[in-house]
Amino acid sequence: MDRGNRYENLARQVSAIGAVKRGLARVLPTECPSGSAIVLALLNHHGDMRMGRVSELMAVDMSVSSRHVAHTVDRGWVERLPDPDDRRSRILHLTRAGEDMLAVLDRRLTDTLARTLAEWSDDDVELLTTLLARLRDSFGDCRAHHA
């Protein structure tokens, strides 16, 4: 296969990942849409942070991340605390209820992947995981490419 076709085929498959993401989003609880789930996951992974950092990590405009954060705050999954370095700013903090919701999300997503990939070998699942991580790393910080 020539280089052009290889990358054309890859581009088609990467575009089709949207269907996988939509399928996974359908198993999320209705009260926790994907944007809110991302906020919870970011806070869990990176710890407390300011709103600007959430926007940066989500690679979205502040108005978009603000909506998602407001949803998580309204449900008690995230709280806004005073920033000790700048009292005018707020730090977002994952609450115990947020940790509980994350556990539900993780369980649903893991169960869905296990059911969907039940026919796959352990080696194939591990290879997919490795290659997806490598693909993500190859793109580096995608936000830097928006300029």
Side-chain angles (χ1 to χ4, degrees):
M1 175 183 306
D2 73 48
R3 185 174 171 94
N5 279 343
R6 178 176 49 193
Y7 292 112
E8 287 172 13
N9 291 334
L10 177 59
R12 277 192 287 279
Q13 293 307 314
V14 169
S15 293
I17 295 274
V20 174
K21 289 175 66 176
R22 287 186 298 279
L24 290 172
R26 282 191 289 275
V27 303
L28 297 177
T30 55
E31 70 271 19
C32 189
S34 59
S36 297
I38 292 169
V39 170
L40 297 179
L42 288 173
L43 288 170
N44 186 60
H45 182 75
H46 296 282
D48 297 354
M49 66 182 77
R50 288 182 178 176
M51 188 64 175
R53 181 73 173 136
V54 171
S55 295
E56 188 180 304
L57 290 169
M58 290 180 78
V60 297
D61 187 72
M62 186 80 85
S63 64
V64 174
S65 61
S66 293
R67 239 183 2 261
H68 296 310
V69 167
H71 183 88
T72 64
V73 170
D74 290 347
R75 278 152 188 81
W77 302 329
V78 171
E79 59 187 347
R80 291 181 175 111
L81 303 173
D83 183 341
D85 297 328
D86 180 356
R87 291 300 210 193
R88 297 167 298 169
S89 294
R90 296 284 176 246
I91 295 289
L92 302 173
H93 174 77
L94 186 65
T95 65
R96 177 67 194 163
E99 292 171 357
D100 292 344
M101 177 50 71
L102 262 177
V104 169
L105 298 173
D106 287 345
R107 197 167 40 255
R108 286 185 181 208
L109 293 172
T110 300
D111 290 350
T112 299
L113 287 169
R115 271 192 318 279
T116 304
L117 305 179
E119 301 297 317
W120 290 40
S121 70
D122 289 346
D123 287 343
D124 283 348
V125 173
E126 187 174 332
L127 178 60
L128 176 63
T129 303
T130 299
L131 292 174
L132 286 173
R134 185 173 168 194
L135 178 65
R136 174 66 180 96
D137 288 346
S138 292
F139 275 85
D141 186 351
C142 296
R143 294 174 305 276
H145 302 295
H146 289 302

